[in-house]
Amino acid sequence: MCRWLAYTGSPVLIREALYTPQHSLIDQSLHSRLGAETTNGDGFGLGWYDESPTPGVFRSVEPAWNDQNLHELAAHVRSRLFCAHVRAAIGSAVQQTNCHPFRHDRWLWMHNGFINGFPILKRELALAIDATLYPEIAGQTDSEMLFFLALTFGLESDPIEAVGRALGHVEELARRRGVNHPFQGTIATSDGSRIWVFRYSSEGNSRSLFFSRDVRTLRYLYPERQILQELSDDARLVVSEPIGDLPGAWTAVPEASCGVIGEGRDELLPFVVKSPATVFSMAAMETGAPLRPVGG
Amino acid sequence: MCRWLAYTGSPVLIREALYTPQHSLIDQSLHSRLGAETTNGDGFGLGWYDESPTPGVFRSVEPAWNDQNLHELAAHVRSRLFCAHVRAAIGSAVQQTNCHPFRHDRWLWMHNGFINGFPILKRELALAIDATLYPEIAGQTDSEMLFFLALTFGLESDPIEAVGRALGHVEELARRRGVNHPFQGTIATSDGSRIWVFRYSSEGNSRSLFFSRDVRTLRYLYPERQILQELSDDARLVVSEPIGDLPGAWTAVPEASCGVIGEGRDELLPFVVKSPATVFSMAAMETGAPLRPVGG
Amino acid sequence: MCRWLAYTGSPVLIREALYTPQHSLIDQSLHSRLGAETTNGDGFGLGWYDESPTPGVFRSVEPAWNDQNLHELAAHVRSRLFCAHVRAAIGSAVQQTNCHPFRHDRWLWMHNGFINGFPILKRELALAIDATLYPEIAGQTDSEMLFFLALTFGLESDPIEAVGRALGHVEELARRRGVNHPFQGTIATSDGSRIWVFRYSSEGNSRSLFFSRDVRTLRYLYPERQILQELSDDARLVVSEPIGDLPGAWTAVPEASCGVIGEGRDELLPFVVKSPATVFSMAAMETGAPLRPVGG
Amino acid sequence: MCRWLAYTGSPVLIREALYTPQHSLIDQSLHSRLGAETTNGDGFGLGWYDESPTPGVFRSVEPAWNDQNLHELAAHVRSRLFCAHVRAAIGSAVQQTNCHPFRHDRWLWMHNGFINGFPILKRELALAIDATLYPEIAGQTDSEMLFFLALTFGLESDPIEAVGRALGHVEELARRRGVNHPFQGTIATSDGSRIWVFRYSSEGNSRSLFFSRDVRTLRYLYPERQILQELSDDARLVVSEPIGDLPGAWTAVPEASCGVIGEGRDELLPFVVKSPATVFSMAAMETGAPLRPVGG
């Protein structure tokens, strides 16, 4: 449905990731090869970290391929950690508040995929959002709802646990409401220090996700590429689909995995959804109260 | 905060109400005289009825004064019942889903004013929305929430009762949460046959609202005005502020009133908010369950 | 580059041509089959005639496939003659003034294709525009320039002659400036009574163009199609590419042809570009004066 | 008509000039005090210099006061020289290509005011633009035309002379075409090293223009203002109208003056328009050839 990329490493002009590559994210906005749709023209977003307390976010409803302002920004802003997303809407409005990345304090969140049966589940998912966070929901999308659900479940203290519990909550609710294969997709989230990425779907057949090979290996393979000389050894890109055709440059993230990169971490782990079933108060279900975990 | 107008009568080109008058709604978008803000430049909307089963709605985030498409539409579309609104946003995003009029089936809804303390009340108001209507909420505004609350309380069968109960619900919830003067404003709603308008505020000091004098009287007063010759005897405009300076042409709607116009009705009535206090289940309040009226 | 359609016949809701067909123009905005580009997402436009002295024009920079307002308009406006265009920009900005159809008084103009070497030729083409028309040029495109060139050469009195001379002018100028294959494309223009369409390219290999078969034949072939029962016998659609897959429903316009439909005319003619070479003042060329025909 | 500001000095977050001040440019977009219009809501632009070869330009058609992206950019981008402009359109379309600042290579250009009788003069002004620059004209405005005229007359080598000759050209052409008071306004232009500002009108009654007092003086007057401690001694703001009410902080630029700031220059000079009358080839006028200076 959408395509995204996330970068951490030595500061680079954002255009080096967004525009320069042969099959860049901007090119993917018009001609995606691996996505569910070839066109991702329903808005876009860019989030970047600098020395400010919160990341900058630039979002627009125009197709990324013809947004002059994105082109300008990408040519003038350097960042050591940034996220970009091109959107293919499925039902919800094309408006900035539906564009990724979503932001809460220092956190950014992007998603490619969907919650199946979202209209059926939306209200109960909204009720599970922490009441102090609820007024911050600005758009209509399943992706933003997931973000706030993950925040509710502790994203800021343990991202992998929180995403696991958020998706577990979605799956449990879907089971009770008779919705099959409720979650599909890939997720990236960051606090400005690290990036956590997830590839998961309830049906076990997830949207694609790739990370770039180790920069030292890439330099060895492609000594003529100037940009590789400029990148730090720990630079890493995670992308919905490869932004170039260099053999050996990209590695697929396995099904049901999550990764952590940045500030010395560079790990790929199995990702397990945390079913809330055992801890739910069944009484709460009966009375229509929010599906909130007990002792969570 | 905003300015609006609603018309019913013989079919006219929409521009006759929207552009032609000296102090037209388009002029009010730039230079409101009686509004809380002089500029109403944060988007606009137009809803019009024709022979189709649902009304057409045209909404845009541009200021009305420089929207070329609105100008074209108004010059080419005739309607016997239409609503137009220019917005001055207070906090929520400038996006089409936040622009009035809002639509549900044959119903349109516009509001000038606000729910005080909306961030505090928003979640509990959302919970009071009928679960089948909940997924239709597309934007972030207090005005749209009120629409769905009124629909929940029976707008389609008894508009005055439903608006009274919706505002009563808001006031009761506000009282429990310690929010003063929770509702302010004027409302227009229509099913394509009639228009219901409301002027009310919890503090008893409401936004302005006017209706045009009887067309026969106006013709007598201003025989040289061509447009008055073309209008049917029952034509009526209701406006946030007069769109011209003709003495005797406009009558203020009294505080705490509602009016009904169209299809042979032409009434002005006292408007009474229906407090839900006596029918609330206090237990529901304690457990965090939705504030829904019992036996409602 | 772009896709367009033009309709004349009994009044229909615009959506019947724009949205309802299987491979409608809206679908072509996302998935063109025969165009130079599959995506035509850089704005769109709709022009329609009614009883007003000038046609209405609705243009937007959003992709047609997700423009809610176009969807509304098409569902509520009926017209007996209308034009619609989805754009794939090649270099010029995505802005309303670059969207087709262009309008001058009662005339509309759409183009799919390009003037090759336009930056080289632009200034001299602009100088050839009638001085009283020059200030009306609102955008940057070759297509709009052609429109004003055709107006300069008498579009309003003899459309086929004027387009022939306009393209002849372009070709002659291109020859002098060393630009090969200067014109490519299809054109539609209307005064609200008739539609003139053109298929031509300097290289003799033009963008596709089709017209719908005679309505009586179509009714015979497809008696179950309700819309065909509602159309008048003289209804005709001209399209960049067929909007459906009905065998026998579409006929290709031959290379280097023009057609006239509406108000009793229904003709297909060879189209000949009128070279201005013999009438140019060579001296004018030398001094840099406008390339205007003498005695034209 | 419009409001603008230009800054040079030690690098600051752009928001310090654009948002933080009490009567900031963003506030002026909604409530200008000294402008011809109180509302400047027809788009805006920001141009800023950094280490890149050309300045960044961010322009939008939304009112500046509700553009979320401008807010983000201003909170995250630091610059030692930047220009910002809020627009009140007079006739031309609200589109990015009509928003200031305009850019050519390293040069930016902003204007507040107008060319009187522009529709009458436009074609002949366009003909005076250097033929190699002509295809770069992207919008419709008098302001952009002036920029290209100044470039034609040597802006890049001698800005004061070039602006003087450009305005002289406008005035001479206007005289011949019977247009009174042809130029009105203030101009700012920069190459990234310095900023040149102009206040001039043919009638001798120009739009307002102010520059900030010497930073050392301001620090002495307002020792409690933190931002003044951070600015370099040579920091200078030039504004259409003061962005705050500090007594003694702003000095009006006199009628018919120009100023130069940046890189060690800090001058205010009389500004004299250079009439081209004596150098025109009258024969060229007769034949309709461009009004280009001879020997220029």
Side-chain angles (χ1 to χ4, degrees):
Chain A
M1 301 296 131
C2 308
R3 304 281 82 181
W4 57 257
L5 68 73
Y7 169 84
T8 173
S10 47
V12 291
L13 275 178
I14 287 168
R15 78 166 162 209
E16 294 297 340
L18 228 56
Y19 285 87
T20 309
Q22 182 192 347
H23 185 51
S24 69
L25 193 70
I26 302 306
D27 183 54
Q28 292 176 27
S29 72
L30 202 46
H31 305 293
S32 164
R33 296 171 186 171
L34 306 182
E37 297 279 349
T38 56
T39 307
N40 295 278
D42 302 330
F44 67 85
L46 169 70
W48 73 99
Y49 292 88
D50 53 22
E51 69 277 15
S52 303
T54 54
V57 171
F58 175 72
R59 302 190 292 184
S60 167
V61 298
E62 287 191 64
W65 69 77
N66 65 26
D67 193 275
Q68 189 58 34
N69 288 323
L70 178 62
H71 191 270
E72 292 287 314
L73 203 62
H76 286 273
V77 174
R78 281 174 189 280
S79 174
R80 58 175 175 75
L81 197 161
F82 57 89
C83 299
H85 186 278
V86 293
R87 185 169 178 243
I90 38 173
S92 57
V94 178
Q95 56 189 26
Q96 287 182 22
T97 54
N98 286 349
C99 290
H100 313 218
F102 303 100
R103 178 177 60 193
H104 172 76
D105 289 347
R106 282 192 67 73
W107 288 79
L108 294 178
W109 177 275
M110 302 190 292
H111 171 221
N112 163 33
F114 55 85
I115 292 178
N116 200 21
F118 187 53
I120 298 166
L121 308 177
K122 187 172 186 178
R123 184 173 176 275
E124 286 175 287
L125 289 173
L127 303 202
I129 303 292
D130 188 282
T132 62
L133 292 171
Y134 185 89
E136 270 191 53
I137 301 174
Q140 312 164 282
T141 64
D142 46 3
S143 303
E144 186 192 24
M145 189 74 87
L146 270 178
F147 180 32
F148 280 100
L149 213 51
L151 285 164
T152 298
F153 284 111
L155 182 73
E156 291 156 297
S157 51
D158 186 343
I160 295 173
E161 173 77 9
V163 172
R165 291 181 65 193
L167 296 187
H169 183 85
V170 170
E171 292 191 339
E172 174 64 16
L173 177 61
R175 194 182 62 72
R176 289 165 189 264
R177 297 294 170 255
V179 172
N180 287 324
H181 301 327
F183 180 75
Q184 166 59 265
T186 64
I187 291 168
T189 188
S190 179
D191 64 353
S193 302
R194 293 180 179 128
I195 300 170
W196 290 262
V197 299
F198 302 84
R199 181 175 183 227
Y200 177 77
S201 57
S202 308
E203 61 189 295
N205 182 20
S206 303
R207 294 279 182 270
S208 63
L209 193 63
F210 296 82
F211 58 92
S212 59
R213 288 282 292 283
D214 183 85
V215 168
R216 279 163 297 198
T217 309
L218 290 174
R219 276 192 212 114
Y220 178 76
L221 287 171
Y222 301 100
E224 75 288 3
R225 298 261 160 169
Q226 182 57 36
I227 183 71
L228 295 173
Q229 307 305 324
E230 296 167 16
L231 293 179
S232 56
D233 287 358
D234 65 347
R236 194 73 89 180
L237 262 171
V238 187
V239 295
S240 296
E241 58 183 274
I243 58 176
D245 292 330
L246 291 190
W250 301 96
T251 305
V253 174
E255 185 68 40
S257 302
C258 65
V260 193
I261 50 174
E263 295 213 333
R265 286 187 67 180
D266 193 33
E267 297 168 49
L268 194 58
L269 308 160
F271 174 64
V272 183
V273 165
K274 303 295 171 70
S275 168
T278 56
V279 289
F280 269 111
S281 153
M282 296 305 291
M285 290 296 297
E286 303 306 312
T287 63
L291 274 174
R292 295 287 295 280
V294 171
Chain B
M1 301 294 131
C2 307
R3 304 280 84 180
W4 56 258
L5 69 74
Y7 169 83
T8 174
S10 47
V12 291
L13 274 180
I14 287 168
R15 80 167 161 210
E16 294 297 339
L18 227 56
Y19 285 87
T20 308
Q22 182 191 347
H23 186 50
S24 70
L25 193 70
I26 303 306
D27 183 53
Q28 292 176 27
S29 71
L30 202 46
H31 303 294
S32 164
R33 295 170 187 172
L34 306 182
E37 297 280 348
T38 56
T39 307
N40 295 278
D42 302 330
F44 67 85
L46 169 70
W48 74 100
Y49 292 88
D50 52 23
E51 70 277 17
S52 303
T54 53
V57 171
F58 175 72
R59 302 189 292 185
S60 167
V61 298
E62 287 191 63
W65 68 78
N66 65 27
D67 193 276
Q68 189 58 32
N69 288 322
L70 178 62
H71 191 268
E72 292 287 315
L73 204 62
H76 286 272
V77 174
R78 281 175 189 280
S79 175
R80 57 174 177 76
L81 197 162
F82 57 88
C83 300
H85 186 277
V86 293
R87 186 169 178 242
I90 39 174
S92 56
V94 178
Q95 57 190 27
Q96 287 182 21
T97 54
N98 286 348
C99 290
H100 313 218
F102 303 101
R103 177 177 60 192
H104 172 76
D105 289 347
R106 283 192 66 73
W107 288 79
L108 294 177
W109 177 275
M110 302 189 293
H111 171 221
N112 162 34
F114 55 86
I115 293 178
N116 201 20
F118 187 53
I120 298 165
L121 307 177
K122 185 172 188 177
R123 183 173 177 276
E124 285 175 286
L125 289 174
L127 303 202
I129 304 292
D130 187 282
T132 62
L133 291 171
Y134 185 90
E136 271 190 52
I137 301 174
Q140 313 164 283
T141 63
D142 48 1
S143 302
E144 186 193 23
M145 189 74 88
L146 271 178
F147 180 32
F148 282 99
L149 213 53
L151 285 164
T152 298
F153 284 111
L155 182 72
E156 291 156 297
S157 52
D158 186 342
I160 295 173
E161 172 76 10
V163 173
R165 291 180 64 193
L167 296 188
H169 183 85
V170 171
E171 291 190 340
E172 174 64 16
L173 177 62
R175 195 184 61 73
R176 290 166 188 264
R177 298 291 170 257
V179 172
N180 287 325
H181 301 329
F183 180 75
Q184 165 61 264
T186 64
I187 291 169
T189 188
S190 179
D191 63 353
S193 301
R194 293 180 178 125
I195 300 170
W196 290 262
V197 299
F198 301 85
R199 182 174 183 227
Y200 177 77
S201 57
S202 308
E203 61 190 295
N205 181 22
S206 304
R207 296 280 181 268
S208 63
L209 191 64
F210 297 83
F211 59 91
S212 59
R213 288 283 291 283
D214 182 84
V215 169
R216 280 163 296 199
T217 309
L218 290 174
R219 279 193 211 113
Y220 178 77
L221 287 170
Y222 300 101
E224 75 287 1
R225 296 261 161 170
Q226 182 58 35
I227 184 72
L228 296 173
Q229 307 305 322
E230 298 166 15
L231 293 179
S232 56
D233 286 358
D234 64 347
R236 193 74 89 181
L237 262 172
V238 187
V239 295
S240 295
E241 58 183 276
I243 58 175
D245 291 330
L246 292 190
W250 300 97
T251 306
V253 174
E255 184 69 39
S257 304
C258 65
V260 193
I261 51 174
E263 296 214 330
R265 287 186 67 179
D266 193 34
E267 298 168 47
L268 195 58
L269 309 158
F271 173 65
V272 183
V273 165
K274 304 292 172 71
S275 169
T278 56
V279 289
F280 268 113
S281 153
M282 295 306 291
M285 290 296 297
E286 303 306 312
T287 64
L291 273 176
R292 298 283 294 280
V294 170
Chain C
M1 301 295 131
C2 307
R3 303 279 83 180
W4 57 257
L5 69 72
Y7 170 84
T8 175
S10 47
V12 292
L13 275 179
I14 287 168
R15 78 166 162 210
E16 294 298 339
L18 227 55
Y19 286 86
T20 309
Q22 182 192 346
H23 185 50
S24 70
L25 193 70
I26 302 306
D27 183 54
Q28 292 176 26
S29 73
L30 202 45
H31 304 294
S32 164
R33 297 170 187 172
L34 305 183
E37 297 279 348
T38 56
T39 308
N40 295 279
D42 302 329
F44 67 85
L46 169 70
W48 74 97
Y49 292 88
D50 53 23
E51 68 278 16
S52 303
T54 53
V57 171
F58 175 71
R59 302 189 293 185
S60 166
V61 298
E62 287 192 64
W65 69 76
N66 65 27
D67 194 275
Q68 189 58 33
N69 288 322
L70 178 62
H71 191 270
E72 292 288 314
L73 203 62
H76 286 273
V77 174
R78 280 174 190 280
S79 175
R80 55 173 178 77
L81 198 162
F82 57 89
C83 300
H85 186 278
V86 292
R87 185 168 178 244
I90 38 173
S92 57
V94 179
Q95 56 190 26
Q96 287 182 22
T97 54
N98 286 348
C99 290
H100 313 218
F102 303 101
R103 178 176 59 192
H104 173 76
D105 290 346
R106 281 192 67 74
W107 287 79
L108 294 178
W109 177 275
M110 303 190 293
H111 171 222
N112 163 32
F114 55 86
I115 292 177
N116 200 19
F118 187 52
I120 297 165
L121 307 177
K122 186 171 188 179
R123 183 173 178 275
E124 285 175 285
L125 289 173
L127 303 203
I129 304 291
D130 187 282
T132 60
L133 292 171
Y134 185 89
E136 271 191 51
I137 301 175
Q140 312 164 283
T141 63
D142 46 3
S143 303
E144 187 192 23
M145 189 75 86
L146 270 178
F147 180 31
F148 281 99
L149 212 52
L151 285 164
T152 298
F153 285 110
L155 183 72
E156 290 156 298
S157 51
D158 186 343
I160 296 174
E161 172 77 10
V163 173
R165 290 180 66 192
L167 296 188
H169 184 85
V170 170
E171 292 191 339
E172 174 65 16
L173 177 62
R175 194 183 62 72
R176 290 167 188 263
R177 297 293 169 255
V179 172
N180 286 325
H181 300 328
F183 179 75
Q184 165 60 264
T186 64
I187 291 168
T189 188
S190 179
D191 63 353
S193 302
R194 293 181 178 126
I195 300 171
W196 290 262
V197 299
F198 301 85
R199 182 174 182 226
Y200 177 77
S201 56
S202 308
E203 61 189 295
N205 182 20
S206 303
R207 295 281 180 269
S208 63
L209 192 64
F210 296 82
F211 58 93
S212 59
R213 288 284 291 282
D214 182 84
V215 169
R216 280 163 295 197
T217 309
L218 291 174
R219 278 193 212 112
Y220 178 77
L221 288 170
Y222 301 100
E224 74 287 3
R225 297 261 160 168
Q226 182 57 36
I227 183 73
L228 295 173
Q229 307 304 323
E230 296 167 17
L231 293 179
S232 56
D233 287 358
D234 64 347
R236 193 74 91 181
L237 262 172
V238 187
V239 295
S240 296
E241 57 183 275
I243 58 177
D245 291 330
L246 291 190
W250 301 97
T251 305
V253 173
E255 184 69 39
S257 302
C258 64
V260 192
I261 50 174
E263 296 215 330
R265 286 186 69 180
D266 194 32
E267 298 168 48
L268 195 58
L269 307 160
F271 174 64
V272 183
V273 165
K274 303 293 172 69
S275 168
T278 56
V279 289
F280 268 113
S281 153
M282 296 305 291
M285 291 296 297
E286 303 306 313
T287 63
L291 275 174
R292 296 286 292 282
V294 172
Chain D
M1 301 292 131
C2 308
R3 304 280 83 180
W4 57 257
L5 70 72
Y7 170 84
T8 175
S10 46
V12 291
L13 275 180
I14 287 167
R15 79 167 162 209
E16 294 298 340
L18 227 55
Y19 286 86
T20 309
Q22 181 191 348
H23 185 50
S24 70
L25 193 69
I26 302 306
D27 183 54
Q28 292 176 26
S29 72
L30 202 46
H31 304 293
S32 164
R33 296 170 186 172
L34 306 182
E37 298 279 348
T38 56
T39 308
N40 296 278
D42 302 330
F44 67 85
L46 169 70
W48 73 98
Y49 292 88
D50 52 24
E51 68 277 16
S52 303
T54 54
V57 171
F58 175 72
R59 303 190 293 185
S60 167
V61 298
E62 288 191 63
W65 67 77
N66 65 27
D67 193 275
Q68 189 58 32
N69 288 323
L70 178 62
H71 191 269
E72 292 287 314
L73 203 63
H76 286 273
V77 174
R78 280 174 191 280
S79 175
R80 57 174 177 76
L81 198 161
F82 56 89
C83 300
H85 185 277
V86 293
R87 187 169 176 242
I90 39 172
S92 56
V94 179
Q95 56 190 27
Q96 287 182 23
T97 53
N98 286 349
C99 290
H100 313 218
F102 304 101
R103 177 177 59 192
H104 173 77
D105 290 346
R106 283 192 66 73
W107 288 79
L108 293 177
W109 177 275
M110 302 189 293
H111 171 220
N112 163 33
F114 55 86
I115 293 178
N116 201 20
F118 187 53
I120 297 165
L121 307 177
K122 186 172 187 178
R123 184 173 177 275
E124 285 176 286
L125 290 173
L127 303 202
I129 303 292
D130 187 282
T132 62
L133 292 171
Y134 185 90
E136 271 191 51
I137 302 174
Q140 313 164 283
T141 62
D142 47 2
S143 303
E144 186 192 23
M145 189 74 87
L146 269 178
F147 180 31
F148 281 99
L149 213 52
L151 285 165
T152 298
F153 285 110
L155 183 72
E156 291 157 297
S157 51
D158 186 343
I160 296 174
E161 172 76 11
V163 173
R165 291 180 65 192
L167 297 187
H169 183 85
V170 170
E171 293 191 338
E172 175 64 16
L173 177 61
R175 195 183 60 73
R176 290 165 189 262
R177 298 291 170 256
V179 172
N180 287 326
H181 300 328
F183 181 75
Q184 165 61 265
T186 64
I187 291 168
T189 188
S190 179
D191 63 353
S193 302
R194 292 180 179 127
I195 300 170
W196 289 262
V197 299
F198 301 85
R199 182 176 184 228
Y200 177 77
S201 57
S202 308
E203 62 189 295
N205 182 20
S206 304
R207 295 280 181 270
S208 63
L209 192 64
F210 296 83
F211 58 92
S212 59
R213 288 282 292 282
D214 182 85
V215 169
R216 280 163 295 197
T217 308
L218 291 173
R219 277 192 212 114
Y220 178 77
L221 288 170
Y222 301 101
E224 76 287 3
R225 298 262 161 169
Q226 183 57 35
I227 184 71
L228 295 173
Q229 307 304 324
E230 297 166 16
L231 293 179
S232 57
D233 287 358
D234 64 347
R236 194 74 89 179
L237 263 172
V238 187
V239 295
S240 296
E241 58 184 274
I243 58 176
D245 291 330
L246 292 190
W250 301 96
T251 305
V253 174
E255 184 68 39
S257 301
C258 64
V260 192
I261 51 174
E263 295 215 331
R265 288 186 68 180
D266 194 33
E267 298 167 50
L268 195 57
L269 309 159
F271 174 63
V272 182
V273 165
K274 303 295 172 69
S275 168
T278 55
V279 288
F280 269 112
S281 153
M282 296 307 291
M285 291 296 297
E286 303 306 314
T287 63
L291 275 174
R292 295 286 294 282
V294 171

